[in-house]
Amino acid sequence: MSSDSSTAPQAADHPPVQQLQTELLQELGPDVVVTDPAVMDAYRTDWTRDASAGQPLAVLRPRTVDEVQAGVRWAAARGIPIVPRGAGSGLSGGSLAVDGALTLSLDRMTAIEIDVATRTAIVEPGALNAQVKAAAAEHGLWYPPDPSSFEICSIGGNVATNAGGLCCVKYGVTTDYVLGLDVVLADGTLVKLGGQRVKDVAGLSLVKLFVGSEGTLGIVTRAILRLVPTPPPPATLVASFPTVQGAADAVVAMCARVRPAMVELMDRASINAVEDYTRMGLDRSAGALLLVQSDAPGEAAVAEVAVIEAACIANGATEVFATYDPEEGAGFVAARRAAFPAVERLGSLLLEDVGVPVPLLPTLLTGIEDIAVRNGVGIPTVAHAGDGNTHPIVVFDAADAAMARSARKAFDEVLALAISLGGTITGEHGIGRLKRAALSDQLGPDVMALTLRIKDALDPAGILNPGAGF
Amino acid sequence: MSSDSSTAPQAADHPPVQQLQTELLQELGPDVVVTDPAVMDAYRTDWTRDASAGQPLAVLRPRTVDEVQAGVRWAAARGIPIVPRGAGSGLSGGSLAVDGALTLSLDRMTAIEIDVATRTAIVEPGALNAQVKAAAAEHGLWYPPDPSSFEICSIGGNVATNAGGLCCVKYGVTTDYVLGLDVVLADGTLVKLGGQRVKDVAGLSLVKLFVGSEGTLGIVTRAILRLVPTPPPPATLVASFPTVQGAADAVVAMCARVRPAMVELMDRASINAVEDYTRMGLDRSAGALLLVQSDAPGEAAVAEVAVIEAACIANGATEVFATYDPEEGAGFVAARRAAFPAVERLGSLLLEDVGVPVPLLPTLLTGIEDIAVRNGVGIPTVAHAGDGNTHPIVVFDAADAAMARSARKAFDEVLALAISLGGTITGEHGIGRLKRAALSDQLGPDVMALTLRIKDALDPAGILNPGAGF
């Protein structure tokens, strides 16, 4: 998989690399500026492991917003692009290094402050999602967004991609928890947007515009995040279905009556991959498995589980198991989270993130099976079914060039299928550099033009994360 | 109270009014174009009853998106401004008519379609909030946002202002329920943003940018709204406190542990105004009254009410009353909703909408009392206390010019106080035309500049709702 954006547009006009690096070192000091290629190497790629990642001019590792501003001003004055970077756990190539550009890593800005009275966390972008959760938990509070990578992904990256996760079917995604942002704009200006107030409609919704903008409009240096009281421990229900259609129908039925805290689906191929890996006794013959949690308080969980169970049985579940033991439930969630490593053992992967309106899940999943067969690749799929957001995983042998081409073709066909169903090519990972080609197919020319007008207004020289986002 | 924006900037360059009206009638037909001054009069003002509202060139009442586009194209070609208008229930003057401009009323576009399987409502902008709620309820579903004006305000206006309400302390505001928007841009282009998929991070968060933009970036012609299952009927708790400080401390304490579905506060002046009006036996000597609802399911409501009650008692509540009878609870909510008509009997009103971080509520309310005394006006205050969003109501005798000036001075001082406390000058009503002067004090020059760059990118001729929003 390769991107077409590893070359900075104006690279040819610049002074020699060494001269620029010397200037940078004078401006920001050796503690901030990394130019050693061996050290820089760790900042070139992300979880896409994309071999086409470029060679940056330097990696900046600022510790303060002043240093971020100084770096941006230095780059802006010279028209040198900047690739912002959080923890490097992105799955769409949004932080892949660009030849001749600065990679601006926020990994040293990790402060977290919990304000109990306002129930907010004031967080620097390099802090990990799990660290924010842990800091909030010390005060009986909870930061809900939970991407599967929560232990290793940064809040800055979460904000950049508007990251989702497993609990967002009930609790929403990152943007629902961002009350304020400090952002360094393309010219180095620092703007402070929003604040600790919960409701605020003064002026345009700028906080919301920056969330999900993948580093293309500004660089987030601080986020004010809303926290909520920790919910009760969840009850967990696992149900086997002969078909994906039955499982999807059960999801529609249960979500019309209750609000589960998690609604995950595994298809037959992913069930078998996980069972090969974990040997935990999953039903290999099932067409789909649903994993549903309820965090309704006290006895209400029993009533909610009953509604969920009835919806499963009414839609053809062959086996239903419910537990109120949080640890036992966590075991099933671990199985779901094991899908990615389980499938990773089978070959090289292309990870998708397509979404459709929930009732179209069976159409999407049946179509994906068909694409897999036609292209001679495996595509096990797990899904945040309550949101209609799926992760088909195209598995192939990278050493087999023809198969690698088939895999890429299958990947593109899945994107096209999602668009044809009124869906999206990315529900939570972002467009990054790897899905740009398909974006205009989803948005159409008028929305693309509107997007570029906003980009041009905020970053007229196009120095912020060129080649990413749109 | 007057705005400075009732004159269209380029009015002098236009052909005579009658010629323009004739052209418009030819273009759009007499069923869409209203030019009779008597009929137009009903479309000139909103709930601010601002006497400075201008005289529109014409009122357009399109029935279809094609007619909206035709109207916008006609105006864009001539540089004639457009004031979009929903139900005219705005409290900040966002839809006040502008001299020589078109008022584009969406009051005929009222279709509502409920899609049960995706739990969405597909709604035209003129549909009332209450009509959407009712249509959803027919399917056991709920559209949460509930501005106090929900029976008479339109979804288009709710989207334009990102309207809040009473339940948003638990369920969020309008933007949290908007999955998709159809928007006619300043040049007449129709863009379709988002859709029925719940999660979608492809491209910039354009849906979120248009929500709350007060008709300054485009005209919403359709919204796709997320619905949720109807929650259980609420339990209601009323608590009297000697001081606002005690009530606010109780709010902070309870919200750290549970998520009430409503947390309203009335100060002494508003309690007395309501008691004068309703004679329902409220405690006239109380410094503050809290009205809290829990919609936790089944027995869990008892546990949640116990937490809320304990928080009230621990913070000095002198009287606490809880009821699980939804009708009795609704009676108390009606008392809270009666605050505005109760105060309206006392004189002319300037209605504020300032917000602060919740722990600063006592500082804000004490400061408002001080401003009232110093300016010789009454300022009873009700608050969505769980969100820190307050509605101080400046009461004055409009026939007394000196007092009217004092009232305006008090109004401005309250805005300045909110800003000085890290708050906002509008939590849910919007900037409209009446709060523009204070906006830059809140946002600062850099954020204002950023705002105007986006405006210029989307509406370079400045024809969309000039003088409103920012």
Side-chain angles (χ1 to χ4, degrees):
Chain A
M1 194 157 41
S2 71
S3 64
D4 58 357
S5 52
S6 54
T7 304
Q10 309 98 324
D13 306 334
H14 292 143
V17 165
Q18 213 180 336
Q19 182 186 328
L20 288 168
Q21 288 175 335
T22 306
E23 283 179 34
L24 249 183
L25 282 160
Q26 285 168 350
E27 183 77 20
L28 285 158
D31 188 43
V32 172
V33 180
V34 177
T35 56
D36 178 341
V39 180
M40 288 202 288
D41 215 45
Y43 295 87
R44 288 179 56 238
T45 60
D46 60 12
W47 271 24
T48 60
R49 296 166 193 150
D50 193 310
S52 71
Q55 186 61 41
L57 170 66
V59 173
L60 303 189
R61 298 185 66 210
R63 292 153 306 190
T64 66
V65 64
D66 289 345
E67 290 174 350
V68 173
Q69 289 182 275
V72 172
R73 286 197 191 106
W74 184 90
R78 288 158 185 79
I80 291 176
I82 300 169
V83 177
R85 180 185 178 89
S89 61
L91 293 165
S92 300
S95 62
L96 291 178
V98 168
D99 275 341
L102 295 180
T103 284
L104 199 160
S105 172
L106 285 313
D107 64 345
R108 269 182 178 172
M109 294 178 65
T110 58
I112 299 171
E113 182 194 333
I114 304 295
D115 183 356
V116 175
T118 57
R119 298 196 311 284
T120 55
I122 302 170
V123 178
E124 288 187 329
L128 301 185
N129 178 300
Q131 292 169 335
V132 175
K133 281 188 195 298
E138 285 177 23
H139 303 277
L141 294 170
W142 183 44
Y143 176 65
D146 62 344
S148 292
S149 57
F150 74 99
E151 289 169 310
I152 56 158
C153 63
S154 72
I155 289 295
N158 290 178
V159 170
T161 56
N162 188 16
L166 279 63
C167 76
C168 51
V169 63
K170 179 167 184 178
Y171 291 100
V173 295
T174 300
T175 194
D176 301 314
Y177 293 89
V178 181
L179 295 178
L181 289 177
D182 289 2
V183 182
V184 175
L185 302 178
D187 64 356
T189 304
L190 174 69
V191 289
K192 291 176 171 284
L193 307 170
Q196 287 181 304
R197 51 216 180 244
V198 182
K199 285 161 72 183
D200 183 358
V201 298
L204 295 177
S205 304
L206 297 175
V207 168
K208 298 279 187 193
L209 177 63
F210 281 98
V211 177
S213 64
E214 303 196 37
T216 62
L217 302 181
I219 293 161
V220 169
T221 56
R222 196 179 75 141
I224 301 176
L225 305 174
R226 193 163 65 95
L227 306 175
V228 296
T230 307
T236 303
L237 181 143
V238 186
S240 297
F241 292 82
T243 64
V244 163
Q245 180 78 53
D249 290 346
V251 171
V252 170
M254 70 180 71
C255 291
R257 294 202 42 212
V258 296
R259 299 191 69 178
M262 177 187 297
V263 187
E264 297 290 308
L265 181 150
M266 296 165 70
D267 73 351
R268 188 189 309 255
S270 63
I271 293 167
N272 278 278
V274 169
E275 183 58 22
D276 286 343
Y277 185 58
T278 64
R279 307 283 174 193
M280 64 186 293
L282 301 179
D283 177 3
R284 287 179 178 277
S285 68
L289 191 142
L290 279 187
L291 174 64
V292 186
Q293 289 195 322
S294 161
D295 65 358
E299 289 302 302
V302 179
E304 205 162 279
V305 166
V307 169
I308 293 164
E309 188 165 3
C312 290
I313 290 168
N315 288 285
T318 49
E319 219 179 304
V320 181
F321 171 78
T323 175
Y324 295 86
D325 175 353
E327 278 192 40
E328 193 175 19
F332 288 106
V333 178
R336 157 63 186 88
R337 288 192 191 268
F340 193 78
V343 172
E344 206 166 24
R345 303 190 316 160
L346 307 178
S348 292
L349 308 182
L350 292 177
L351 179 59
E352 305 250 19
D353 176 40
V354 295
V356 291
V358 177
L360 295 177
L361 268 180
T363 314
L364 176 69
L365 296 184
T366 309
I368 289 171
E369 278 176 25
D370 181 50
I371 290 169
V373 170
R374 275 194 290 103
N375 289 284
V377 292
I379 315 187
T381 298
V382 293
H384 309 306
D387 293 321
N389 180 202
T390 73
H391 296 310
I393 313 173
V394 183
V395 187
F396 64 103
D397 178 358
D400 178 339
M403 196 183 185
R405 279 194 301 277
S406 295
R408 181 71 215 192
K409 182 161 162 281
F411 182 89
D412 290 339
E413 286 177 16
V414 172
L415 298 182
L417 174 62
I419 293 170
S420 75
L421 295 174
T424 179
I425 59 174
T426 176
E428 56 184 12
H429 294 170
I431 292 294
R433 291 183 161 76
L434 302 184
K435 293 188 179 172
R436 282 181 76 211
L439 183 63
S440 61
D441 293 340
Q442 178 180 331
L443 299 186
D446 291 332
V447 177
M448 286 300 290
L450 179 59
T451 302
L452 294 176
R453 278 153 71 181
I454 292 170
K455 169 70 172 177
D456 289 345
L458 268 64
D459 179 20
I463 64 166
L464 291 176
N465 217 5
F470 43 78
Chain B
M1 193 159 40
S2 71
S3 64
D4 57 357
S5 53
S6 55
T7 305
Q10 312 96 324
D13 306 333
H14 293 143
V17 165
Q18 214 180 335
Q19 182 186 327
L20 288 168
Q21 289 175 334
T22 306
E23 283 179 32
L24 249 184
L25 282 160
Q26 284 168 352
E27 182 77 20
L28 284 158
D31 188 45
V32 172
V33 179
V34 177
T35 55
D36 177 343
V39 180
M40 287 202 289
D41 215 45
Y43 295 86
R44 288 180 56 240
T45 60
D46 59 12
W47 271 22
T48 60
R49 295 164 195 153
D50 192 309
S52 72
Q55 186 60 42
L57 170 66
V59 173
L60 302 188
R61 298 185 66 211
R63 293 153 305 189
T64 66
V65 64
D66 289 345
E67 290 174 350
V68 173
Q69 289 181 275
V72 172
R73 286 198 191 106
W74 185 91
R78 290 157 184 80
I80 290 176
I82 300 168
V83 177
R85 179 185 178 89
S89 61
L91 293 164
S92 300
S95 62
L96 293 177
V98 168
D99 275 341
L102 295 181
T103 284
L104 198 160
S105 172
L106 284 312
D107 64 346
R108 270 182 178 172
M109 294 177 64
T110 59
I112 300 171
E113 182 195 331
I114 304 294
D115 183 355
V116 175
T118 58
R119 298 195 311 284
T120 55
I122 301 171
V123 178
E124 288 187 328
L128 302 185
N129 178 301
Q131 293 168 334
V132 175
K133 282 189 195 298
E138 285 177 22
H139 303 278
L141 294 170
W142 183 44
Y143 176 65
D146 62 343
S148 292
S149 57
F150 75 99
E151 288 167 313
I152 56 159
C153 63
S154 72
I155 288 295
N158 290 179
V159 170
T161 56
N162 189 15
L166 278 64
C167 76
C168 51
V169 62
K170 180 168 183 177
Y171 291 102
V173 295
T174 300
T175 194
D176 300 315
Y177 293 89
V178 182
L179 295 178
L181 290 177
D182 288 2
V183 182
V184 175
L185 301 178
D187 64 357
T189 305
L190 173 68
V191 289
K192 291 177 173 284
L193 308 171
Q196 287 181 305
R197 51 216 180 245
V198 182
K199 284 161 73 183
D200 183 359
V201 298
L204 294 177
S205 304
L206 297 175
V207 168
K208 298 279 185 191
L209 177 64
F210 282 98
V211 177
S213 64
E214 302 196 37
T216 62
L217 302 182
I219 293 161
V220 170
T221 57
R222 197 179 75 142
I224 301 176
L225 306 173
R226 194 164 63 97
L227 306 174
V228 296
T230 308
T236 304
L237 181 144
V238 186
S240 297
F241 293 82
T243 64
V244 163
Q245 180 76 55
D249 289 346
V251 171
V252 170
M254 70 180 71
C255 291
R257 294 201 43 211
V258 295
R259 300 192 69 178
M262 176 187 297
V263 187
E264 297 290 308
L265 181 150
M266 297 167 69
D267 73 351
R268 188 190 309 258
S270 63
I271 294 168
N272 278 278
V274 169
E275 184 57 22
D276 287 343
Y277 184 58
T278 63
R279 307 282 174 196
M280 64 185 292
L282 301 180
D283 177 3
R284 287 179 179 278
S285 68
L289 192 141
L290 279 188
L291 175 64
V292 186
Q293 288 195 324
S294 162
D295 65 357
E299 289 301 302
V302 178
E304 204 161 280
V305 166
V307 169
I308 293 164
E309 187 165 5
C312 290
I313 290 168
N315 288 285
T318 50
E319 219 179 303
V320 182
F321 172 78
T323 174
Y324 294 85
D325 176 352
E327 278 192 39
E328 192 174 20
F332 288 106
V333 178
R336 158 60 187 89
R337 289 192 190 268
F340 193 77
V343 172
E344 205 166 26
R345 304 190 314 161
L346 307 179
S348 293
L349 308 182
L350 292 177
L351 179 59
E352 304 248 20
D353 176 40
V354 293
V356 290
V358 176
L360 295 178
L361 268 179
T363 314
L364 177 68
L365 296 184
T366 309
I368 289 171
E369 279 175 26
D370 180 51
I371 290 170
V373 170
R374 275 194 289 101
N375 290 284
V377 292
I379 314 186
T381 297
V382 293
H384 309 307
D387 294 321
N389 180 202
T390 74
H391 296 311
I393 312 173
V394 183
V395 187
F396 64 102
D397 178 358
D400 178 340
M403 195 183 186
R405 277 194 302 277
S406 294
R408 180 72 213 193
K409 181 160 162 285
F411 182 88
D412 290 339
E413 286 177 16
V414 171
L415 297 182
L417 174 61
I419 293 170
S420 75
L421 295 174
T424 178
I425 59 175
T426 177
E428 56 184 11
H429 294 169
I431 292 295
R433 293 184 159 76
L434 303 184
K435 293 187 179 174
R436 281 182 76 210
L439 183 62
S440 61
D441 292 341
Q442 178 180 331
L443 299 186
D446 290 332
V447 178
M448 287 299 289
L450 178 59
T451 301
L452 294 176
R453 279 154 69 181
I454 292 170
K455 169 72 170 177
D456 289 345
L458 269 62
D459 178 20
I463 65 166
L464 291 177
N465 217 5
F470 44 78

